[in-house]
Amino acid sequence: MLNLVIFGPPGCGKGTQSARLVKKYGIQHLSTGDLLRSEISQGTALGLEAKKLMDKGLLVPDEVVIGMIRTRIEGNPQSKGFIFDGFPRTEAQAEALDRLLAEKGNSIAAMLSLEVERDELVRRILGRGKDSGRADDQDPAIIGKRIEEYSRKTAPLIEYYQQQGKYRQVIGQGTIEEIFEKLSDLVDATVN
Ligand code: AMP
């Protein structure tokens, strides 16, 4: 199994690069943001609760996203692996992910961290918001809050994965193809 975490602040290109990595390595994409938006569009109770926090740019509770990830991992025992996108976002989530994978003798191979400057993040997210219509992508104050949540609760995970020797940093500016090549090289170096 090949399990990867794609990491970085909102707007750094995690979703775009995940789609390419999925094709290249035959692994499954698990984005907690996408899963939550799907709950919202289905009008589930979980979705309605999560939406209140997402609209403010705040994280949803750990147990909610951990539960969604557990269901997907346990429901796909034949999978060649997963790319976790937007998860983990807190230390509790990272520990839960390690435990879930360890139950089946698996682990994270590498954490691929995309680094992008703040001004560029805001520019990209506002651009995406025009096409996607996502409320949290259209308001500069909410975007600022999301970046703040990232810096405060999520960025410390760099150290968590550094300690495991799994942190791989990539500059997330340049063309999509250039960044994808750098990511692929890192994955190849990890598995070979
Ligand atoms: P994303 O699509 O990854 O930018 O996520 C959109 C929003 O969903 C975030 O701003 C959070 O409110 C929520 N969310 C997504 N993933 C997580 C997570 N792993 N932990 C907590 N909240 C999350």
Side-chain angles (χ1 to χ4, degrees), residues 10 14 31-34 36-37 53-54 57-60 65 85-89 93 128 134 136 146:
K14 297 188 293 293
S31 152
T32 40
D34 286 351
L36 288 165
R37 282 184 289 278
L53 294 160
M54 291 165 77
L58 300 172
L59 295 187
V60 307
V65 285
D85 165 6
F87 181 93
R89 261 175 156 104
Q93 294 178 23
R128 180 173 73 186
R134 268 178 66 176
D136 62 343
R146 288 162 65 198

Side-chain angles (χ1 to χ4, degrees), residues 40-168:
I40 292 172
S41 63
Q42 291 169 49
T44 65
L46 186 158
L48 293 177
E49 274 310 303
K51 186 175 187 310
K52 292 181 200 160
L53 294 160
M54 291 165 77
D55 283 350
K56 292 187 192 140
L58 300 172
L59 295 187
V60 307
D62 287 335
E63 52 278 17
V64 171
V65 285
I66 292 168
M68 292 194 311
I69 291 288
R70 177 187 295 118
T71 306
R72 295 321 183 283
I73 293 179
E74 290 176 354
N76 290 281
Q78 309 297 344
S79 181
K80 284 179 72 181
F82 299 97
I83 182 156
F84 298 95
D85 165 6
F87 181 93
R89 261 175 156 104
T90 64
E91 191 152 328
Q93 294 178 23
E95 287 166 357
L97 179 58
D98 279 348
R99 276 198 303 273
L100 279 170
L101 293 172
E103 278 169 20
K104 297 274 178 295
N106 296 308
S107 62
I108 293 295
M111 182 262 225
L112 308 167
S113 177
L114 290 167
E115 296 241 330
V116 176
E117 284 166 16
R118 193 182 193 284
D119 288 355
E120 171 74 6
L121 295 173
V122 176
R123 201 180 60 73
R124 286 190 197 174
I125 297 173
L126 286 170
R128 180 173 73 186
K130 281 195 195 120
D131 300 328
S132 71
R134 268 178 66 176
D136 62 343
D137 279 352
Q138 295 184 38
D139 180 335
I142 296 172
I143 296 170
K145 189 77 206 165
R146 288 162 65 198
I147 296 176
E148 194 187 307
E149 285 276 86
Y150 170 81
S151 306
R152 213 157 58 84
K153 299 178 183 164
T154 307
L157 290 183
I158 289 176
E159 208 185 309
Y160 179 91
Y161 287 99
Q162 247 168 358
Q163 282 172 2
Q164 296 189 4
K166 294 175 179 171
Y167 169 68
R168 308 280 184 274

